[in-house]
Amino acid sequence: MIYKFTKSGEQVLNLANELASDLGHSYIGSEHILYGLACEENGVASKVLENQGITPEDILDKIEEFLGAGIKTNFSILGFTPRTKKILENAYTEAKKLGTNFIGTEHILIGIMKESDSLAIRILFDLDVNPDDLYSDIAKTLNEFEENLNEINKEKQENQNNTSMQNLNQFGNDLTKQA
């Protein structure tokens, strides 16, 4: 299945691919995706992970601790593990539930949380992340994002209304005022 990602979602996958290649891994696993989520500063997931006190460096240290690092591979695109594919399926399902056609970083993070037997989850547990707090933080951050978006849209609408009223005043007569 072909998924549509936001720009941040695409960047997460690119960062995960780069990390896997740099570490000499021949696949993109959940741990690489988690690292990509933490690095992509424009995504909701990086803000959520940051709020939990998790940095990309923390995740990288854990990946190297659990898997080690090999010699950098020369492959430009690596394949996903079956578990990573399942995470992306979970992310797609979450995006659909939330009424969007694009998979964002928040959906990918939720997809990881739903795949409980992954190295990414083990890393999060080792970094003392409480899954309930993580879910709550995702919801809170999404609500803040939507509120900011609504304010921006409201300001745009007000500016458009002001411009329309100026045009109307310029080319028309206010009959109420004249009466």
Side-chain angles (χ1 to χ4, degrees):
M1 181 171 221
I2 297 175
Y3 300 116
K4 295 178 190 175
F5 293 90
T6 62
K7 287 184 182 190
S8 292
E10 286 178 11
Q11 183 62 16
V12 165
L13 299 179
N14 291 332
L15 290 165
N17 187 69
E18 287 174 24
L19 177 67
S21 178
D22 289 348
L23 293 176
H25 300 161
S26 60
Y27 59 89
I28 299 173
S30 63
E31 63 280 8
H32 304 112
I33 299 287
L34 181 63
Y35 176 83
L37 288 171
C39 288
E40 175 48 48
E41 296 174 353
N42 295 323
V44 171
S46 69
K47 289 170 183 46
V48 169
L49 292 170
E50 185 179 304
N51 290 345
Q52 296 288 322
I54 297 172
T55 66
E57 293 77 24
D58 294 335
I59 295 169
L60 180 58
D61 289 344
K62 289 294 182 183
I63 292 171
E64 289 177 339
E65 178 184 326
F66 292 134
L67 300 176
I71 299 170
K72 181 177 172 147
T73 62
N74 292 326
F75 301 117
S76 60
I77 299 176
L78 302 173
F80 295 121
T81 63
R83 179 157 289 129
T84 303
K85 290 177 185 177
K86 181 67 175 155
I87 287 169
L88 295 177
E89 286 176 22
N90 292 342
Y92 174 76
T93 303
E94 284 301 313
K96 283 295 185 194
K97 279 185 194 174
L98 295 173
T100 180
N101 292 324
F102 290 91
I103 300 171
T105 60
E106 64 278 11
H107 306 121
I108 298 171
L109 184 56
I110 292 170
I112 286 175
M113 298 301 294
K114 289 190 172 221
E115 196 60 27
S116 61
D117 191 28
S118 68
L119 185 53
I121 291 295
R122 185 172 172 198
I123 289 169
L124 290 172
F125 281 137
D126 274 17
L127 295 172
D128 296 324
V129 172
N130 180 331
D132 293 333
D133 291 345
L134 197 61
Y135 277 119
S136 297
D137 214 5
I138 291 169
K140 178 181 153 197
T141 305
L142 278 174
N143 286 337
E144 289 171 0
F145 177 76
E146 285 179 16
E147 287 173 7
N148 289 339
L149 190 60
N150 288 339
E151 285 180 31
I152 290 169
N153 288 337
K154 184 178 177 183
E155 287 175 13
K156 282 183 182 178
Q157 184 65 36
E158 287 173 0
N159 288 339
Q160 286 176 348
N161 288 345
N162 288 340
T163 303
S164 297
M165 196 60 160
Q166 288 171 350
N167 290 340
L168 187 61
N169 289 337
Q170 181 180 358
F171 298 111
N173 294 322
D174 187 352
L175 298 177
T176 306
K177 204 185 261 186
Q178 288 178 356

